[in-house]
Amino acid sequence: MALRDPDKTRLKLLSIAANLFQKKGYNGTSLSDIINEAEVSKGALYHHFANKNELLYSVIDELYRERFLSPWRDVIKSQDPIQAIENVLHNIGKNADVKEMCNGCPVHNVLAELGATDEGVRLRINQMHCDAQKIICDALEISKDRNIINKDVDSNKVSLFFMCGINGMPQLVTSCQNVEVFQQLTDALADYIRSFKMVD
Amino acid sequence: MALRDPDKTRLKLLSIAANLFQKKGYNGTSLSDIINEAEVSKGALYHHFANKNELLYSVIDELYRERFLSPWRDVIKSQDPIQAIENVLHNIGKNADVKEMCNGCPVHNVLAELGATDEGVRLRINQMHCDAQKIICDALEISKDRNIINKDVDSNKVSLFFMCGINGMPQLVTSCQNVEVFQQLTDALADYIRSFKMVD
Amino acid sequence: MALRDPDKTRLKLLSIAANLFQKKGYNGTSLSDIINEAEVSKGALYHHFANKNELLYSVIDELYRERFLSPWRDVIKSQDPIQAIENVLHNIGKNADVKEMCNGCPVHNVLAELGATDEGVRLRINQMHCDAQKIICDALEISKDRNIINKDVDSNKVSLFFMCGINGMPQLVTSCQNVEVFQQLTDALADYIRSFKMVD
Amino acid sequence: MALRDPDKTRLKLLSIAANLFQKKGYNGTSLSDIINEAEVSKGALYHHFANKNELLYSVIDELYRERFLSPWRDVIKSQDPIQAIENVLHNIGKNADVKEMCNGCPVHNVLAELGATDEGVRLRINQMHCDAQKIICDALEISKDRNIINKDVDSNKVSLFFMCGINGMPQLVTSCQNVEVFQQLTDALADYIRSFKMVD
DNA sequence: ACTGCCGGGACTCCCCGTTCAT
DNA sequence: ATGAACGGGGAGTCCCGGCAGT
């Protein structure tokens, strides 16, 4: 129903779709699932989104992308970017929503399901990975300049592996349904990144 | 077809289903897709498997599981398990089939799509993760005994993070469609595991 | 758009609907097709026409009917109505728009699609047939009076068959997509009507 | 239901579809209409026909075509083909099923609705027209040889116009819902064809 | 008075996983 | 092991109201 508030209706659809796609997968989620939970008619949905695929793209562009990148954006503004990265890891490890985590990372799930067949999805998520890696890579370079880490660290390789770690976590958490595992993993990744610091 | 060879038919269905599930996802693959590619009748499929879900379970149990675990089984028999792990990583990095890799890891894809809704899938894959982690963990313990790595290494944490790295790789490769990335990642993971070796 | 000209908007909708109904059929034409081509909003359409069915009726009443009847109206004013009919046939044969013809006669198409289920359509088109036949019938009677044709001609039967010929033409042209066929048919129909002339 | 008789099921669907397409048009007939009347499941329909369009093509090829051509096939075997044509016209005029007639000719209706947009339909019906015209044309030629009609008759033109008459009839009957009109028209067409006979 | 945006559902064709008689 | 039949959804489209502002 929702007496005439297009933006609100759109956002509602978007966020409900985001949740369902994460939990049940893209192909596992029917538009009926979405409109039922949103208490909105099919006409409303198709007024806002051309089709299911466009809805997914909007979800990725407007929700998943921000959720994925925002935690990292500030690390390069810090005096000690390495410390900042550790802090971010610590925070997401501590504040992880159990239910959310156990459904895996939405970005990750969508990529695993559709990456091989839907170029639109793949390119969007690749962009996210690149953007995030760029931030980490910059953080490493800055840290070299400031003599926080060794100059012979291969920033590209390390930042790539960092992204790999980030991507692997939700997988393990989903499979064992245990959030503690997530904290161990963020710890371990923090250890990894800290291992490049200069010994003083 | 019609050449009565039940086991062959079954295996054919199994391996075609394995490929399609990996590439197009479970919900994205229809039974018609499978029987068309296998050139087998619908009745034949239902003779061998109770339903689509059981087919998936069989695929996991009989194909995915072995593919996932077999490379690691021998590392604990080696004199230097750490070196053995590095070798395995090097091999899978070098021999990676481009097309296969770019579709992501089948285990991983299935978990991402169904992990949150299908306990049968989740438990099977969790078991694989645990079994693999156990191997790595044992390898680390053995290496401690043999003074290959430091005794204060937290084998559980490291092996867990190792699994995390393993799980994150196909994700990144899928998104950028570039196998070189895979080699860089196996390298980086090898670096990681080597970093625990005693300095002599 | 937005240039407030209600009559123009209405006429635009009417004539675009007329074309689309002819080409794609009534059920094959969606209101979206119409408003897209007319560059008019849905609200505008519904302001001018109560619903799709009323739009069709208006199309028939205001456009199809005139197009169908106007060529024949003057034949009875002629000194030699038979000659006048031949002339009309000759003209429509010669001036036939290729594209238009190959889509069939709009009146005809609508009747064929909806005649059996929509009384409103059937009655309107029946009226057109009757009116046209009346003209031809009158032309024959006048010609009898003036000794142009034999007095024993059954005007009703001939005029009915004349209408039959008129109705059958577009059908054949549509099926073979060849306007020459149309000219042959108008010729043949002219031959038919001329065959009743007195031999002098 | 319907205890396993594929051919029967198929034919049932075909003939019910044939009736509904004639009465309500192609776009006006839903697959639900068809399966409800046939008391057959949706799956059964899609087992026999790839889609709605293929169903239509099958209806045309297997039912409409025969109904349309069969009455004329024997006229060229007759001693007096012209007389045979008259007889056929007389028969279909006399035996016309009221209800059927008032829904128009199925071939005709389908062509009017879809001829401009569906080549498959157009080509099929064009073939029927050509085949029928060929028969009439041959009948005229044979009649010339046997001195039944004048040698200067343009067989092609006359047979074409004959087809035109055949095609126009159902149109008029549909619009006035009066079968007597049909008899008058078959009479008039018989008159027309007879008019070419030699006067003895 | 007239037009535009938002929304409502029923209905469309089609496909899916599954069962059953053969 | 076959393939005909089943029936429940799948996404998407349709025609249509109703509120807002001109």
Side-chain angles (χ1 to χ4, degrees):
Chain A
M1 264 304 296
L3 41 138
R4 285 305 169 121
D5 189 340
D7 289 351
K8 204 173 148 191
T9 301
R10 193 189 135 90
L11 193 60
K12 194 186 210 175
L13 287 166
L14 225 38
S15 76
I16 286 177
N19 284 335
L20 290 175
F21 287 160
Q22 173 181 11
K23 199 183 309 170
K24 307 173 55 172
Y26 175 77
N27 283 313
T29 302
S30 78
L31 295 185
S32 303
D33 291 341
I34 295 170
I35 62 175
N36 284 341
E37 193 165 326
E39 290 175 310
V40 152
S41 77
K42 214 167 241 191
L45 191 154
Y46 271 90
H47 175 75
H48 289 287
F49 306 97
N51 51 44
K52 194 185 179 186
N53 212 33
E54 286 300 324
L55 171 58
L56 172 62
Y57 289 169
S58 298
V59 165
I60 296 176
D61 292 337
E62 300 174 38
L63 296 186
Y64 289 169
R65 185 177 162 82
E66 271 317 289
R67 291 187 200 165
F68 189 81
L69 289 175
S70 67
W72 307 105
R73 287 232 166 83
D74 287 340
V75 299
I76 48 177
K77 297 178 188 164
S78 167
Q79 277 301 324
D80 182 346
I82 300 302
Q83 181 63 44
I85 290 175
E86 290 181 51
N87 292 343
V88 169
L89 286 170
H90 184 70
N91 282 334
I92 58 178
K94 225 175 72 181
N95 302 326
D97 178 339
V98 187
K99 286 189 187 170
E100 284 296 311
M101 275 313 298
C102 291
N103 292 332
C105 166
V107 173
H108 173 125
N109 288 1
V110 163
L111 178 63
E113 183 181 0
L114 304 172
T117 51
D118 185 325
E119 274 293 277
V121 164
R122 187 183 71 76
L123 291 173
R124 279 170 170 79
I125 293 185
N126 185 41
Q127 193 59 52
M128 285 160 63
H129 283 160
C130 291
D131 291 349
Q133 190 194 339
K134 175 82 163 46
I135 293 173
I136 303 301
C137 195
D138 286 351
L140 290 168
E141 288 296 315
I142 292 171
S143 302
K144 282 189 203 171
D145 289 345
R146 296 185 190 156
N147 287 319
I148 299 173
I149 64 172
N150 277 316
K151 296 231 188 297
D152 57 357
V153 167
D154 182 340
S155 300
N156 191 55
K157 191 174 172 186
V158 170
S159 61
L160 184 65
F161 185 67
F162 185 88
M163 289 312 300
C164 176
I166 291 288
N167 274 291
M169 291 177 188
Q171 189 77 350
L172 290 181
V173 179
T174 304
S175 76
C176 69
Q177 300 281 87
N178 180 353
V179 206
E180 284 178 32
V181 163
F182 187 54
Q183 286 159 6
Q184 290 182 47
L185 287 169
T186 52
D187 263 15
L189 187 54
D191 291 348
Y192 172 71
I193 208 75
R194 187 168 40 236
S195 71
F196 299 103
K197 276 201 172 180
M198 310 276 272
V199 204
D200 42 359
Chain B
M1 258 301 293
L3 52 124
R4 298 293 188 102
D5 188 340
D7 288 352
K8 205 173 151 191
T9 300
R10 191 188 139 90
L11 193 60
K12 194 185 211 175
L13 286 167
L14 224 37
S15 77
I16 287 177
N19 283 336
L20 290 176
F21 288 160
Q22 173 181 11
K23 201 183 310 171
K24 307 173 54 172
Y26 175 75
N27 283 313
T29 302
S30 75
L31 294 185
S32 304
D33 291 340
I34 296 169
I35 62 173
N36 284 342
E37 194 167 325
E39 290 173 310
V40 151
S41 76
K42 214 166 253 187
L45 191 152
Y46 269 89
H47 176 73
H48 288 291
F49 306 97
N51 53 39
K52 195 186 179 186
N53 211 32
E54 286 300 325
L55 170 59
L56 172 63
Y57 290 168
S58 298
V59 166
I60 297 176
D61 292 338
E62 299 175 37
L63 297 185
Y64 290 168
R65 185 177 162 81
E66 269 319 288
R67 292 187 200 164
F68 189 81
L69 289 176
S70 67
W72 307 105
R73 287 232 166 82
D74 288 339
V75 300
I76 48 177
K77 297 178 188 165
S78 167
Q79 277 301 325
D80 182 346
I82 300 301
Q83 183 61 46
I85 290 174
E86 288 181 51
N87 292 343
V88 170
L89 286 171
H90 184 70
N91 283 335
I92 62 178
K94 224 175 71 181
N95 302 327
D97 177 340
V98 187
K99 284 190 188 170
E100 283 296 311
M101 276 312 298
C102 291
N103 291 333
C105 165
V107 173
H108 172 127
N109 288 1
V110 163
L111 177 63
E113 183 181 357
L114 304 171
T117 51
D118 185 325
E119 276 291 279
V121 165
R122 189 185 70 75
L123 291 173
R124 277 170 171 80
I125 294 185
N126 185 42
Q127 193 57 51
M128 286 190 221
H129 283 160
C130 291
D131 292 349
Q133 189 194 340
K134 175 80 162 48
I135 293 172
I136 304 301
C137 195
D138 286 352
L140 290 169
E141 288 297 317
I142 292 170
S143 302
K144 280 190 205 171
D145 289 345
R146 299 185 189 157
N147 286 319
I148 300 173
I149 65 172
N150 276 316
K151 297 231 188 300
D152 57 357
V153 166
D154 182 340
S155 300
N156 191 56
K157 192 173 173 186
V158 169
S159 60
L160 183 64
F161 185 67
F162 184 87
M163 291 311 300
C164 175
I166 291 288
N167 274 291
M169 290 177 189
Q171 188 76 352
L172 289 181
V173 179
T174 304
S175 77
C176 68
Q177 299 281 87
N178 180 354
V179 205
E180 285 179 31
V181 164
F182 187 53
Q183 287 159 5
Q184 290 182 47
L185 288 168
T186 51
D187 264 15
L189 188 53
D191 291 348
Y192 172 72
I193 208 73
R194 186 167 44 234
S195 71
F196 297 105
K197 276 201 172 181
M198 308 279 273
V199 203
D200 44 358
Chain C
M1 258 300 293
L3 51 125
R4 295 297 187 101
D5 188 340
D7 288 353
K8 205 173 149 190
T9 300
R10 191 190 139 90
L11 193 60
K12 194 184 209 175
L13 287 167
L14 224 39
S15 76
I16 286 176
N19 283 335
L20 290 176
F21 287 160
Q22 173 182 11
K23 200 184 310 171
K24 306 172 55 173
Y26 174 76
N27 284 313
T29 302
S30 77
L31 293 186
S32 304
D33 291 341
I34 296 170
I35 63 173
N36 284 341
E37 194 166 325
E39 289 173 312
V40 151
S41 79
K42 217 164 253 186
L45 192 152
Y46 271 90
H47 176 73
H48 288 291
F49 305 97
N51 53 40
K52 194 185 179 186
N53 211 35
E54 286 300 325
L55 171 59
L56 172 62
Y57 290 168
S58 298
V59 166
I60 297 176
D61 291 338
E62 299 175 38
L63 296 185
Y64 289 168
R65 184 176 164 83
E66 270 317 289
R67 292 188 200 164
F68 189 81
L69 289 175
S70 66
W72 307 106
R73 287 233 166 80
D74 288 340
V75 300
I76 48 177
K77 297 177 187 165
S78 166
Q79 276 302 325
D80 183 346
I82 299 302
Q83 182 62 45
I85 290 174
E86 289 181 50
N87 291 343
V88 169
L89 285 171
H90 184 68
N91 282 334
I92 59 178
K94 224 175 71 180
N95 302 326
D97 177 340
V98 187
K99 284 189 188 170
E100 284 295 311
M101 274 314 297
C102 291
N103 292 332
C105 167
V107 173
H108 174 125
N109 288 1
V110 164
L111 177 63
E113 183 181 358
L114 304 172
T117 51
D118 185 324
E119 275 292 280
V121 165
R122 188 184 70 75
L123 291 173
R124 279 170 170 81
I125 294 185
N126 186 42
Q127 193 58 50
M128 284 159 63
H129 283 160
C130 290
D131 291 350
Q133 189 194 341
K134 175 80 163 48
I135 293 172
I136 303 301
C137 196
D138 286 352
L140 290 168
E141 288 296 317
I142 292 171
S143 302
K144 281 190 204 171
D145 290 344
R146 298 184 190 159
N147 285 320
I148 299 172
I149 64 171
N150 278 316
K151 296 232 189 299
D152 58 356
V153 167
D154 181 339
S155 300
N156 191 56
K157 191 173 173 186
V158 169
S159 61
L160 183 66
F161 185 67
F162 185 88
M163 290 311 300
C164 175
I166 291 289
N167 275 292
M169 290 176 189
Q171 188 76 352
L172 290 180
V173 179
T174 304
S175 77
C176 68
Q177 298 282 86
N178 179 355
V179 205
E180 284 177 31
V181 163
F182 187 54
Q183 286 159 7
Q184 291 182 46
L185 288 169
T186 51
D187 264 16
L189 187 53
D191 291 349
Y192 172 72
I193 208 75
R194 186 168 42 235
S195 71
F196 298 105
K197 277 201 171 180
M198 309 277 274
V199 205
D200 42 2
Chain D
M1 54 134 288
L3 41 140
R4 285 307 169 116
D5 190 340
D7 289 351
K8 204 174 151 191
T9 301
R10 193 189 137 90
L11 193 60
K12 194 186 210 175
L13 287 166
L14 224 38
S15 75
I16 286 176
N19 284 335
L20 290 175
F21 288 160
Q22 173 181 12
K23 200 184 308 171
K24 307 174 55 171
Y26 175 76
N27 283 313
T29 302
S30 76
L31 294 184
S32 304
D33 292 341
I34 296 169
I35 62 173
N36 284 341
E37 194 165 326
E39 289 175 310
V40 151
S41 76
K42 222 165 255 186
L45 191 155
Y46 271 89
H47 174 74
H48 289 288
F49 306 97
N51 52 42
K52 194 186 179 186
N53 211 32
E54 286 300 324
L55 170 59
L56 172 62
Y57 290 169
S58 298
V59 165
I60 296 176
D61 292 338
E62 299 175 38
L63 296 186
Y64 289 169
R65 185 176 162 82
E66 271 317 289
R67 291 187 200 164
F68 189 80
L69 289 175
S70 66
W72 307 105
R73 287 233 166 82
D74 289 339
V75 299
I76 47 176
K77 297 178 187 164
S78 166
Q79 277 301 324
D80 182 346
I82 301 302
Q83 182 62 44
I85 291 175
E86 288 181 51
N87 291 344
V88 169
L89 286 171
H90 184 70
N91 282 335
I92 60 180
K94 224 175 73 179
N95 302 327
D97 178 339
V98 187
K99 285 189 187 171
E100 283 296 312
M101 275 314 296
C102 290
N103 292 333
C105 166
V107 173
H108 173 124
N109 288 0
V110 163
L111 178 63
E113 183 181 358
L114 303 172
T117 50
D118 185 326
E119 275 291 278
V121 165
R122 187 184 72 75
L123 291 173
R124 279 171 170 78
I125 294 186
N126 185 41
Q127 193 58 51
M128 283 158 67
H129 284 159
C130 291
D131 291 349
Q133 190 193 340
K134 175 79 163 48
I135 292 173
I136 304 300
C137 196
D138 287 351
L140 290 169
E141 288 296 316
I142 293 171
S143 301
K144 281 189 203 173
D145 289 345
R146 296 184 189 158
N147 286 319
I148 299 173
I149 65 173
N150 275 317
K151 295 230 189 298
D152 57 357
V153 167
D154 182 341
S155 300
N156 192 55
K157 191 174 173 186
V158 169
S159 62
L160 184 65
F161 185 67
F162 185 87
M163 290 312 299
C164 175
I166 291 289
N167 274 291
M169 291 176 188
Q171 188 76 351
L172 290 180
V173 179
T174 305
S175 77
C176 69
Q177 298 282 87
N178 179 354
V179 205
E180 286 178 30
V181 164
F182 186 54
Q183 286 159 5
Q184 290 182 48
L185 287 169
T186 51
D187 264 15
L189 187 54
D191 291 348
Y192 171 73
I193 208 75
R194 186 166 43 233
S195 70
F196 298 105
K197 276 202 170 179
M198 309 278 272
V199 204
D200 43 358

